[in-house]
Amino acid sequence: DAGVTQSPTHLIKTRGQQVTLRCSPKSGHDTVSWYQQALGQGPQFIFQYYEEEERQRGNFPDRFSGHQFPNYSSELNVNALLLGDSALYLCASSYSDRDNSPLHFGNGTRLTVT
Amino acid sequence: AQSVTQLGSHVSVSEGALVLLRCNYSSSVPPYLFWYVQYPNQGLQLLLKYTTGATLVKGINGFEAEFKKSETSFHLTKPSAHMSDAAEYFCAVSDSGGYQKVTFGIGTKLQVIP
């Protein structure tokens, strides 16, 4: 049973560029959440997708956008990259019909902005 | 708004000694509480969760945590530390399991000294 998979594992971009990160949820999960983890910090909630719509959003600017596909996989897009966007981006999936469904995390994408 | 405070960003224990990682939460509704562990260059793995019912929760790898509503605490313990326990530990709170936004603490890095 495949867990949450994220691609790529590492990425280096230049300020001002755009980036797309990808996530496949754990089998049977239909909800995908994205988190940003800066160095030495806990994960910060970016947004959550369910039924191909953004259901909740954290305190992140509109430069951060996402998408969920019919197969429940998801993308995170970041436009006009800033140095401060350098972080580990974590995708987590869960099952909406189960109130106690905990988050299952992927290993993340390490984004470096130079 | 929900939040968690982890007391001590770094904790060192000797191998075989008691592990105690502290977490206090703030929530306007009955909380769901979690402890996650993160090994270097990996995502987060669920150790244990509290939803309702028994206040002493047992998790994986010999860890347990006790929910104390009067103290708004959810401290993580393990009777005897093992070298493989060296990692970063995150306390987290949600108002409904993994279905909604999960708020993480800043993390506590556990060092185990041989």
Side-chain angles (χ1 to χ4, degrees), chain A residues 23-42:
Chain A
C23 172
S24 292
K26 180 179 168 66
S27 178
H29 286 182
D30 57 5
T31 301
V32 173
S33 302
W34 286 92
Y35 287 79
Q36 180 195 66
Q37 186 179 18
L39 200 61
Q41 302 293 319

Side-chain angles (χ1 to χ4, degrees), chain A residues 32-91:
Chain A
V32 173
S33 302
W34 286 92
Y35 287 79
Q36 180 195 66
Q37 186 179 18
L39 200 61
Q41 302 293 319
Q44 298 290 315
F45 177 75
I46 303 175
F47 43 52
Q48 183 183 79
Y49 277 84
Y50 171 67
E51 291 189 336
E52 302 180 48
E53 291 192 359
E54 183 182 291
R55 185 162 64 179
Q56 272 212 20
R57 190 179 183 91
N59 189 26
F60 279 80
D62 292 344
R63 298 187 297 109
F64 290 77
S65 63
H67 189 78
Q68 187 179 33
F69 299 94
N71 67 353
Y72 308 120
S73 67
S74 177
E75 289 182 348
L76 164 66
N77 300 293
V78 186
N79 294 323
L81 285 167
L82 304 173
L83 294 179
D85 295 331
S86 295
L88 180 68
Y89 288 85
L90 295 165
C91 171

Side-chain angles (χ1 to χ4, degrees), chain B residues 64-86:
Chain B
E64 62 182 35
E66 186 172 9
F67 171 64
K68 291 187 176 181
K69 185 178 179 180
S70 60
E71 298 178 7
T72 61
S73 69
F74 191 59
H75 302 331
L76 181 71
T77 61
K78 182 174 180 177
S80 176
H82 191 273
M83 294 300 295
S84 61
D85 294 327

